Amino acid sequence: MGEIYKQIITAKQQGKRLLAILLDPDKVEIDELEVLVEKIALSEATHIFIGGSLLFANRQDTIITLLKNKLTLPVLLFPGSASHITDLADGILFLSLISGRNPDYLIGQQVQAAPLLKKSKLEVVSTGYMLVESGKQTTVSYISGTTPIPNDKPEIALATALASEMIGHKMIYLEAGSGALHPVPLDMIRMVSQNIDIPLIVGGGIRSKAWMDQVYEAGATLVVIGTAFEKNNDFFSDL
Ligand code: 1GP
């Protein structure tokens, strides 16, 4: 078992709260990175996720190099496609978009990525990625051409998460999508977390400390914050 996954499993077993800050290379300007790094260093973040659906801007490598030079937190790729893989990070969320029925995001991109990952030093953490309806169409839903799970159907989320765990994924990521209008409902998080043994990641549309706490209490081991930090670099110091 790799070090990154070992840390996440241990946190789950000990009821510790993990926090990932998501940086989207298309939204982070290089000249603001120094300030972001200082804020991240002072925050309670335990992980950095880096990635996005598109990556128009060619600066992911520069950002990762800077982060690795200045911080000791593990940096995990959160890729939108196989072309986003870089060896500079510590690990990768090897995502399969299991809420959708698009074969390219279920196995196609993974087949393209696997030979590259085999040669890399990245720790590969296989993750069942579940998109949940959030009140508006999100980029990931549009780009992947998949329909999210209705947010009033926790039983569908549970069945999907159980299938993912039985297939052998090591984590579940319940995702409302970046900038979601409504985050993943707490009853859905609770139903999924109470019935799986693998760690649960929750993200999308989380904008307050109060909501973060409720998400942890509902059973998430790791919470992801992207947009709230992008919009307000003092988000974590304000907490
Ligand atoms: C998106 O879950 C992450 O993939 C974070 O979402 O940008 O809404 O915080 P936000």
Side-chain angles (χ1 to χ4, degrees), residues 120-232:
S120 83
K121 294 195 193 82
L122 293 169
E123 180 178 333
V124 177
V125 190
S126 127
T127 304
Y129 187 56
M130 295 169 50
L131 198 54
V132 177
E133 185 191 351
S134 66
K136 67 170 189 181
Q137 189 175 38
T138 53
T139 307
V140 57
S141 161
Y142 176 75
I143 295 291
S144 65
T146 66
T147 310
I149 294 173
N151 61 10
D152 61 347
K153 302 283 181 200
E155 67 278 10
I156 297 180
L158 173 58
T160 310
L162 287 174
S164 179
E165 183 171 38
M166 289 173 194
I167 283 168
H169 295 140
K170 290 183 184 159
M171 304 197 288
I172 301 284
Y173 191 150
L174 262 184
E175 164 79 284
S178 193
L181 218 49
H182 307 299
V184 178
L186 297 172
D187 64 332
M188 185 180 278
I189 298 171
R190 223 171 278 121
M191 194 184 266
V192 170
S193 71
Q194 285 171 357
N195 288 284
I196 58 170
D197 293 320
I198 53 179
L200 180 62
I201 301 173
V202 179
I206 300 173
R207 298 179 182 83
S208 70
K209 164 81 171 141
W211 192 263
M212 276 171 67
D213 284 344
Q214 294 200 67
V215 170
Y216 286 121
E217 275 154 31
T221 295
L222 192 153
V223 167
V224 187
I225 300 288
T227 307
F229 181 59
E230 253 162 43
K231 291 197 169 154
N232 170 18

Side-chain angles (χ1 to χ4, degrees), residues 40-110:
I40 293 171
L42 293 171
S43 78
E44 288 168 14
T46 55
H47 295 77
I48 294 174
F49 289 177
I50 181 145
S53 293
L54 292 166
L55 301 204
F56 290 120
N58 187 20
R59 51 186 178 230
Q60 180 173 256
D61 283 4
T62 313
I63 295 172
I64 297 176
T65 305
L66 232 146
L67 292 171
K68 296 289 304 165
N69 282 343
K70 306 262 175 178
L71 297 166
T72 53
L73 299 178
V75 176
L76 281 161
L77 298 177
F78 174 57
S81 80
S83 65
H84 297 174
I85 290 172
T86 166
D87 224 356
L88 297 170
D90 300 301
I92 179 170
L93 296 176
F94 195 51
L95 304 168
S96 185
L97 181 44
I98 53 171
S99 54
R101 299 296 178 266
N102 180 345
D104 193 34
Y105 288 91
L106 281 165
I107 185 63
Q109 292 293 324
Q110 293 78 356

